[in-house]
């Protein structure tokens, strides 16, 4: 199969959409398929610097005489695509409808099913309770790749061999690819007030805008901090962490795969459902960003850090959850639909 992805990632929208498309592309390419990404130049710079990037990238080119959806459809036809995969909240009902054609199939990554008719042949949502979102109404003819069996992880998390507790040291802070609220700096400043001696690993994403300010603070404070910007070895870092204070979203599936206890901070409405389900599994706690100051977050984090039994119990609960290659399952479903279509021609 030839699969085209239409997705963006930048400081405004973060990198989560790009990362889960990358995870699916890695799986598809490892199975012998091909992947092409259509994205703006601003998004390309974040992607091309990754050593684990796969798939060709074509720059988004539109003009006043041709709307974006028409251009995307034309590219898919010229590339002889079997599938177009959309991931992003900017793709409206009208945009999706304009992409409908017999030339290829349409797959949609979705989180909360609140944007009208999806016009999809496949709907992808890896949240375990995603089946309650009434996709039968917005995608009545679609195959549903919905539930925890369809959680997508990049290959580095699927290939992780050592998740043991004995190897772990320190606290990890990570607040997404762009960290739009600059929680990284404010949480570090709050930690500095306590003069903690805990080894701290700070991870900032490629779209993080406050790198210079953060670097100056780390250099001037007395905290034992190791900082990774645009980290390409996330699985190894997380598997060496006793606790992570993290933005919710796609990162929570990575934390679970590494069996890393976490405090998940909900910073967007679309993260609530998945986070609450993760909390029920016993390996994480969930807080709402709007209800917590950075100092309150740090107090909560330090209280949990001081409870070694609770941390180990959370780790054990995480180990009981299977690490699922949802991308492979999605690829198999897409291949099945493609083969069925070809046999009916």
């Amino acid at each position: 199969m030839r699969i085209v992805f239409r997705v963006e990632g930048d400081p405004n929208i973060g990198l989560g959409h790009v990362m889960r498309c990358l995870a699916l592309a890695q799986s598809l390419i490892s199975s012998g398929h091909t992947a092409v990404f259509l994205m703006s130049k601003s998004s390309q710079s974040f992607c091309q610097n990754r050593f684990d990037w796969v798939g060709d990238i074509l720059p988004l080119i539109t003009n006043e005489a041709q709307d974006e959806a028409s251009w995307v459809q034309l590219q898919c036809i010229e590339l002889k695509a079997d599938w177009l995969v959309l991931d992003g909240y900017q793709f409206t009902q009208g945009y999706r409808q304009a992409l409908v054609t017999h030339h290829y199939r349409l797959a949609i990554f979705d989180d909360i099913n609140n944007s009208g008719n999806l016009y999809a042949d496949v709907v992808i949502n890896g949240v375990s309770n995603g089946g309650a979102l009434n996709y039968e109404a917005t995608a009545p003819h679609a195959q549903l790749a919905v539930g925890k069996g369809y959680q997508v992880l990049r290959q580095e998390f699927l290939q992780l061999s050592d998740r043991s507790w004995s190897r772990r040291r320190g606290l990890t802070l990570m607040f997404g690819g762009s960290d739009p609220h600059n929680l990284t700096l404010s949480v570090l400043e709050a930690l500095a007030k306590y003069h903690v001696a805990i080894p701290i690993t700070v991870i900032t994403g490629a779209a993080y805008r406050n790198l210079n300010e953060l670097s100056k603070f780390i250099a001037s404070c007395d905290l034992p901090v190791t900082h990774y910007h645009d980290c390409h070895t996330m699985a190894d870092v997380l598997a060496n962490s006793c606790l992570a204070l993290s933005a919710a979203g796609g990162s929570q599936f990575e934390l679970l795969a590494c069996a890393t206890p976490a405090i998940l901070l909900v910073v967007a409405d679309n993260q609530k459902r998945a986070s609450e389900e993760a909390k029920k599994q016993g390996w994480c706690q969930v807080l709402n960003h709007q209800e917590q100051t950075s100092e309150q977050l740090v107090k909560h984090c330090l209280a949990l850090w001081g409870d070694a039994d609770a941390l180990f119990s959370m780790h054990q609960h995480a180990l009981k959850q299977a690490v699922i290659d949802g991308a492979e399952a999605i690829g198999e479903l897409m291949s099945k639909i493609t083969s069925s279509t070809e046999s009916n021609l």
Side-chain angles (χ1 to χ4, degrees):
M1 296 187 298
R2 181 178 291 271
I3 299 90
V4 174
F5 292 86
R6 176 70 190 100
V7 64
E8 294 287 347
D10 60 37
N12 293 319
I13 63 176
L15 299 178
H17 301 289
V18 170
M19 289 296 101
R20 63 183 177 188
C21 284
L22 173 59
L24 179 55
Q26 287 178 341
S27 180
L28 289 166
I29 288 176
S30 70
S31 298
H33 306 297
T34 59
V36 177
F37 287 79
L38 307 178
M39 56 176 57
S40 65
K41 289 184 178 179
S42 61
S43 294
Q44 290 179 52
S45 61
F46 299 120
C47 302
Q48 292 172 327
N49 290 330
R50 296 192 60 85
F51 76 84
D52 62 345
W53 187 261
V54 297
D56 296 327
I57 300 177
L58 296 182
L60 184 69
I61 302 173
T62 58
N63 54 54
E64 293 181 2
Q66 184 182 44
D67 63 84
E68 181 184 309
S70 298
W71 182 86
V72 169
Q73 184 182 93
L74 179 61
Q75 301 311 302
C76 290
I77 293 172
E78 291 183 350
L79 289 166
K80 295 182 169 53
D82 297 293
W83 286 90
L84 170 63
V85 178
L86 285 186
D87 192 350
Y89 303 132
Q90 71 271 37
F91 304 124
T92 64
Q93 175 176 288
Y95 185 104
R96 296 188 296 264
Q97 185 177 15
L99 290 170
V100 174
T101 175
H102 69 277
H103 291 286
Y104 55 80
R105 298 275 188 169
L106 181 62
I108 305 286
F109 273 103
D110 182 75
D111 296 307
I112 50 179
N113 195 25
N114 66 345
S115 62
N117 197 319
L118 296 175
Y119 296 100
D121 297 289
V122 166
V123 177
I124 306 168
N125 185 336
V127 178
S128 58
N129 59 359
L133 288 174
N134 196 27
Y135 287 116
E136 292 77 9
T138 57
H141 306 296
Q143 297 276 350
L144 300 182
V146 173
K148 65 180 182 179
Y150 296 99
Q151 293 172 2
V152 294
L153 289 166
R154 299 195 307 279
Q155 293 298 302
E156 63 172 303
F157 294 96
L158 298 171
Q159 296 165 0
L160 188 64
S161 59
D162 184 2
R163 300 189 292 166
S164 62
W165 187 249
S166 59
R167 69 183 287 195
R168 297 170 186 259
R169 302 288 184 276
L171 167 70
T172 293
L173 306 179
M174 57 182 198
F175 298 105
S178 61
D179 185 10
H181 305 289
N182 201 11
L183 292 169
T184 304
L185 182 57
S186 62
V187 168
L188 268 183
E189 289 173 339
L191 280 166
K193 294 178 181 178
Y194 290 89
H195 302 283
V196 298
I198 302 168
I200 300 170
T201 299
V202 172
I203 299 174
T204 49
Y208 181 63
R209 286 172 162 159
N210 301 286
L211 190 58
N212 289 337
E213 185 182 9
L214 175 65
S215 298
K216 289 178 181 178
F217 178 79
I218 291 174
S220 64
C221 74
D222 61 358
L223 295 171
V225 176
T226 301
H227 177 210
Y228 297 105
H229 180 66
D230 192 17
C231 181
H232 295 180
T233 56
M234 286 288 292
D236 188 58
V237 172
L238 297 183
N240 279 284
S241 302
C242 290
L243 174 64
L245 177 56
S246 170
S251 297
Q252 74 185 61
F253 301 126
E254 298 174 355
L255 287 161
L256 178 57
C258 296
T260 301
I263 299 171
L264 300 179
L265 192 61
V266 174
V267 296
D269 288 342
N270 65 297
Q271 298 171 345
K272 291 179 180 178
R273 180 180 292 268
S275 299
E276 288 303 320
E277 283 298 305
K279 181 180 178 180
K280 293 176 184 177
Q281 294 171 340
W283 63 272
C284 67
Q285 298 179 0
V286 177
L287 299 175
N288 191 308
H289 162 247
Q290 295 180 335
E291 299 172 357
Q292 304 283 328
T293 66
S294 292
E295 193 148 337
Q296 287 172 326
L297 282 175
V298 165
K299 287 181 179 179
H300 190 95
C301 185
L302 293 178
L304 181 56
W305 179 267
D307 191 340
D309 290 339
L311 287 175
F312 183 68
S313 176
M314 293 166 75
H315 167 70
Q316 292 292 104
H317 279 291
L319 287 175
K320 294 176 183 177
Q321 305 297 318
V323 178
I324 298 169
D325 188 355
E328 181 179 18
I330 294 166
E332 289 174 352
L333 177 60
M334 293 168 72
S335 293
K336 182 178 178 181
I337 293 171
T338 299
S339 298
S340 176
T341 302
E342 292 173 349
S343 65
N344 291 328
L345 295 178

